[in-house]
Amino acid sequence: MSDRIDSSKATRRLATRAVHAGEPEPRIEGALSIPIFQSSTFETAGETDYHAVRYLRCNNTPNHHSLHAKLASLEAGEAAVVASSGMAAITTTLLTLLSHGDHLLALEGLYGGTHTFVTRDLAEYGIGHDLMDGNRPETWSALLKPSTQAIYVETITNPLMQVPDLEQVVRFARKHGLVSIVDSTFATPVNYRPLESGFDLVVHSGTKYLNGHSDLAAGAVIGSGELVRRVTHKLNHLGGVLDPHACFLLQRGIKTLVLRVGRQNENTLALARFLAAHPAVDAVNYPGLESHAQHGRARKLFSGFGGMLSFEVRGGIEAADRLLGRLRIPKSAPSLGGVETLITRPVTTSHAGVPAKERIRMGISDSLVRVSVGIEDPGDLVEDFEQGLKGIS
Ligand code: PLP
């Protein structure tokens, strides 16, 4: 079994690829689901190259090969590699492409873990960075240095759901010889496939939508054979391997990705529209709403607007907390992308580590509420928010 995609399957539509791409052909012992190869090492069979020797940390068990092929097919990449978490995928990718003396251009307002790694940890390795405004491409050239190697963005930012100018990022990277990397966790391959738009590498927290069931941690890097080979080499050294059992679960989760995300797109748009029309709600951040500053761009680039929204309720923190206490369906928890609706105030979870001054500069208020919308019945969700918002302010 190899990590390369079966090109006959790449021509099929996404929902078919999500189910069938990468699955062993013929099936192993006829088993429809790939068995879990819970073995750290494999008998040698005359391999002469170290990388051909099968060993769990080297991400080359049958479970890895099958999952890599499925992921590559979904994102229309040549190759993919999985990692033990989204952060393992992101940090390993950056450490593959950057070394001492290099410089990175990164989007302002990245996911907190990535933001901290870029702004604090990379400096310890002698790697510089500048943060760019994703909506002002005319300002990016001034941030370039002769040592700039790569540009790093996200498809939709958290928690304000901004959509950076992704087309300009690709053009800019090509013009200046930079490797373009995008974290597409929020968009998922259902709504946007960055490699088809010219990005060099796409990274995911597989913990979120790809798996979709809030029961594992995983990451993925997808792109050209050469770039993924380099990332894999670094990952083998840094050691962020995904266990075969988690590979199996992630592979199983991906089979229903298109159904889940389709439903999440619909549910979130319905909830966003309801909230935007509610007198107790001040502002709703969702790229699917006509009122969103980058709605036109999102419509042009994406085939759906995703399952994440955030909003402000009238009455500040106290009202927001009252709402969280009154809601019955959403669970109050960090993370996102699962089948169940989750709700949180980002300042108490995902952005708790970001200093208040920085948060305010980023436009993230203490009372902002973020929702990861699940696959429940949209009528039930709207009804629950309706009763939750009654009399909170
Ligand atoms: N990227 C985004 C956009 C995220 O939201 C997260 C986690 O919330 C990560 C990456 C990190 O993923 P993980 O928790 O799997 O390491």
Side-chain angles (χ1 to χ4, degrees):
M1 217 183 290
S2 115
D3 281 11
R4 291 307 180 96
I5 64 167
D6 173 351
S7 55
S8 66
K9 292 201 176 123
T11 58
R12 300 208 181 121
R13 292 173 182 81
L14 195 73
T16 311
R17 275 150 48 206
V19 176
H20 292 289
E23 299 297 325
E25 292 285 3
R27 295 291 195 266
I28 298 160
E29 291 291 325
L32 216 57
S33 294
I34 185 169
I36 303 170
F37 288 82
Q38 198 71 50
S39 184
S40 61
T41 188
F42 292 75
E43 282 184 323
T44 49
E47 294 87 347
T48 49
D49 176 5
Y50 166 72
H51 295 289
V53 172
R54 286 184 298 167
Y55 179 56
L56 177 51
R57 181 172 43 73
C58 294
N59 294 288
N60 57 9
T61 75
N63 289 104
H64 290 94
H65 287 312
S66 183
L67 181 54
H68 291 164
K70 191 181 286 293
L71 283 163
S73 174
L74 280 187
E75 285 286 15
E78 281 178 6
V81 64
V82 286
S84 53
S85 67
M87 282 310 295
I90 292 163
T91 56
T92 303
T93 299
L94 291 173
L95 292 174
T96 301
L97 298 169
L98 303 163
S99 51
H100 193 273
D102 286 342
H103 175 258
L104 173 74
L105 215 48
L107 186 69
E108 231 166 31
L110 289 173
Y111 163 67
T114 312
H115 175 83
T116 308
F117 184 74
V118 166
T119 56
R120 303 205 195 133
D121 298 272
L122 282 184
E124 291 170 15
Y125 298 105
I127 300 165
H129 74 274
D130 270 291
L131 298 180
M132 55 189 253
D133 180 337
N135 286 311
R136 296 180 61 216
E138 71 282 4
T139 61
W140 300 347
S141 300
L143 304 172
L144 273 179
K145 297 190 191 313
S147 56
T148 310
Q149 303 293 337
I151 185 164
Y152 185 102
V153 298
E154 290 174 358
T155 42
I156 303 171
T157 65
N158 177 22
L160 295 174
M161 314 305 155
Q162 300 282 303
V163 181
D165 195 338
L166 299 167
E167 287 176 305
Q168 286 299 339
V169 171
V170 168
R171 270 189 218 120
F172 185 82
R174 292 214 168 141
K175 181 169 173 204
H176 298 286
L178 312 178
V179 179
S180 52
I181 312 154
V182 60
D183 178 336
S184 197
T185 300
F186 274 37
T188 84
V190 179
N191 290 331
Y192 181 60
R193 286 176 297 285
L195 301 178
E196 288 176 353
S197 302
F199 274 94
D200 294 311
L201 280 174
V202 51
V203 294
H204 281 277
S205 166
T207 315
K208 319 295 184 197
Y209 292 98
L210 292 182
N211 177 55
H213 292 76
S214 310
D215 55 9
L216 60 75
V221 185
I222 306 137
S224 69
E226 173 55 17
L227 282 173
V228 172
R229 187 195 60 73
R230 285 176 58 198
V231 173
T232 303
H233 192 73
K234 184 67 79 180
L235 186 66
N236 292 349
H237 292 162
L238 294 177
V241 63
L242 191 65
D243 183 81
H245 186 238
C247 287
F248 169 85
L249 287 175
L250 178 55
Q251 183 156 337
R252 185 173 73 164
I254 290 172
K255 290 179 187 175
T256 55
L257 177 73
V258 178
L259 286 177
R260 286 186 281 104
V261 173
R263 176 61 168 254
Q264 283 162 317
N265 287 338
E266 287 168 18
N267 281 3
T268 315
L269 190 57
L271 186 60
R273 289 202 169 126
F274 164 78
L275 291 170
H278 199 284
V281 174
D282 267 342
V284 182
N285 305 305
Y286 185 59
L289 291 180
E290 290 74 12
S291 56
H292 187 281
Q294 293 103 38
H295 175 66
R297 180 180 298 155
R299 263 183 49 173
K300 181 175 172 204
L301 295 177
F302 303 158
S303 46
F305 303 106
M308 299 294 297
L309 64 78
S310 61
F311 62 100
E312 296 279 357
V313 285
R314 218 152 272 177
I317 299 174
E318 291 74 22
D321 280 343
R322 269 200 292 281
L323 171 65
L324 265 62
R326 288 174 62 95
L327 289 169
R328 295 287 165 260
I329 296 174
K331 297 296 162 218
S332 188
S335 198
L336 56 109
V339 291
E340 55 285 289
T341 298
L342 302 181
I343 192 158
T344 182
R345 269 203 301 122
V347 294
T348 64
T349 52
S350 59
H351 288 68
V354 183
K357 232 167 95 182
E358 215 171 310
R359 282 201 311 256
I360 291 162
R361 199 183 49 76
M362 291 161 88
I364 302 167
S365 77
D366 287 0
S367 53
L368 187 75
V369 174
R370 189 193 77 176
V371 187
S372 167
V373 181
I375 63 167
E376 299 94 340
D377 187 280
D380 286 339
L381 281 177
V382 167
E383 273 171 35
D384 195 26
F385 274 84
E386 195 166 24
Q387 71 75 23
L389 285 164
K390 252 185 209 139
I392 56 155
S393 48

